[in-house]
Amino acid sequence: MCTVGGPMADIDIKKMKTRKCRCLDCGNEFKGVGRRVICPSCQSDNVECEG
């Protein structure tokens, strides 16, 4: 587990709204969360998401 020292929060990842995303640099397809999505494979922010 990783923490930055703040209060602990219970976040259920399965309940979060995800979007289907594709990295325009390496072509990796993955599910993204949030406004600024980064490719988990190559760390690029050149990502296109649906919705």
Side-chain angles (χ1 to χ4, degrees):
M1 176 177 276
C2 181
T3 181
V4 292
M8 300 291 288
D10 289 328
I11 299 173
D12 189 354
I13 300 295
K14 293 178 183 175
K15 290 184 180 178
M16 295 181 76
K17 183 178 178 183
T18 59
R19 298 180 291 165
K20 184 177 179 180
C21 301
R22 185 174 71 88
C23 178
L24 300 178
D25 288 338
C26 72
N28 183 34
E29 293 186 359
F30 57 96
K31 292 181 180 176
V33 176
R35 288 183 277 171
R36 185 169 181 262
V37 179
I38 296 176
C39 175
S41 179
C42 71
Q43 311 304 314
S44 171
D45 63 354
N46 190 14
V47 173
E48 180 178 78
C49 296
E50 295 177 357

